[in-house]
Amino acid sequence: MPMSFFAQMRLCTGIAALFLVAPSHAATECPLLSTAEVAAAFADPGARVESADPSGTCVWKLSDDTTLISSFYKHPGPAETKEAFDAWKVGYTADFPRAGRTPPIGKGAYFGMRPASQHLSEAALLTTQGNSILILSYIRNSEQTAPDKLAVPILALGKQAIARSGKAEQSFGQCEWFSEAEARGFLGKGALKIHRSGPNWCAASVEGSRASLVVQVSDHVIDEKLGRDAPGSDMCKVVLMPQFGARGVAEYACVKPMNQMMKIAFNVNDKQVEISVQPLGRDANEADLKPLTAIAQRAYERF
């Protein structure tokens, strides 16, 4: 059975969140772990939270230049949860060889570490409970060896975090950024799923396809020019959208493999907003710009 849209999307975006970039939302407190708990687990009073998203994806920095990331994903039901957990686990078996026996955490867990010969010391805990999946990733950004008994603090924090899965703001069925009718205008009458992940991310999809409507809000504002002056803008058809500020822009008719998508992006009050759509069974076209602009207009007005 092909992997579902949510499993595909969360697998891809989760890898990016873990190993490439950290999410950039306001650093308050993570709903799954407190900074005090992280500091106590690693005996590091200098530990600090760098970003904390209500969805449960959070980033901490330790005094020794180590990054700790919690990535948290809820799924609509047990079948999709198992499918996504198995997909993650296959990846970790290859990238993070099992580091000893993982004690019972949640319904299932896997703990692994990269070989010590590599410059970056990395470890990852994957665990599931109910319809939730938690990944706790440890990345030591230096050539120093990882501390002895690294599994002890990571497993302890993972156990605390997965037990609080109900505190993460993730839900299904509706979100504040678009209506079901607007989503169906792009995605048709198939089995529609809407996944809200905190106040900063929402996606609608059709089961068995890659069609999607996604709204993403970030506190990280891109400084580069957008629109016709942007590097590589000849890769897409670009429409400047001054109603969304100097950097408001829409892009579509892009070169493959992005030819099926349309995106509107803008910056407002230190927020970056991106709204993208991949219609069901066809390329996005100029006619999609008007309904997507209506969704973008409401997002712009919120800020």
Side-chain angles (χ1 to χ4, degrees), residues 262-280:
M262 173 180 285
K263 179 178 75 173
I264 293 177
F266 56 85
N267 297 337
V268 55
N269 288 339
D270 297 323
K271 303 284 185 182
Q272 181 182 335
V273 181
E274 289 190 7
I275 301 134
S276 62
V277 65
Q278 181 169 325
L280 181 64

Side-chain angles (χ1 to χ4, degrees), residues 129-235:
Q129 179 69 50
N131 293 333
S132 302
I133 294 175
L134 169 75
I135 300 100
L136 199 59
S137 178
Y138 172 101
I139 306 173
R140 191 175 179 88
N141 302 311
S142 72
E143 295 188 11
Q144 301 177 39
T145 58
D148 293 336
K149 299 181 180 179
L150 177 60
V152 174
I154 293 178
L155 295 177
L157 291 173
K159 187 174 183 178
Q160 291 173 307
I162 197 66
R164 297 170 184 158
S165 58
K167 295 185 176 181
E169 290 187 24
Q170 293 195 34
S171 59
F172 297 89
Q174 61 183 6
C175 73
E176 62 269 45
W177 300 105
F178 52 78
S179 67
E180 179 179 338
E182 287 174 318
R184 288 198 179 279
F186 295 110
L187 307 181
K189 298 181 180 180
L192 184 71
K193 293 184 179 180
I194 297 177
H195 183 187
R196 181 185 185 274
S197 183
N200 301 301
W201 187 91
C202 190
S205 72
V206 174
E207 184 69 26
S209 79
R210 298 187 66 84
S212 65
L213 172 63
V214 180
V215 178
Q216 183 168 325
V217 182
S218 174
D219 291 330
H220 174 70
V221 175
I222 294 177
D223 293 328
E224 291 84 359
K225 290 183 178 180
L226 299 177
R228 300 185 192 279
D229 295 329
S233 60
D234 58 338
M235 303 292 284

Side-chain angles (χ1 to χ4, degrees), residues 274-291:
E274 289 190 7
I275 301 134
S276 62
V277 65
Q278 181 169 325
L280 181 64
R282 63 174 178 84
D283 292 354
N285 57 52
E286 192 169 356
D288 295 311
L289 188 57
K290 183 176 180 180

Side-chain angles (χ1 to χ4, degrees), residues 49-103:
V49 62
E50 287 211 326
S51 64
D53 190 87
S55 68
T57 293
C58 309
V59 181
W60 296 266
K61 276 288 188 181
L62 305 184
S63 300
D64 60 0
D65 199 29
T66 292
T67 301
L68 185 71
I69 304 175
S70 70
S71 293
F72 185 78
Y73 312 117
K74 282 189 177 178
H75 297 269
E80 283 196 312
T81 306
K82 183 180 184 303
E83 181 186 10
F85 182 77
D86 290 344
W88 278 107
K89 192 173 179 180
V90 168
Y92 281 129
T93 301
D95 293 339
F96 292 88
R98 186 181 290 276
R101 180 176 176 273
T102 305

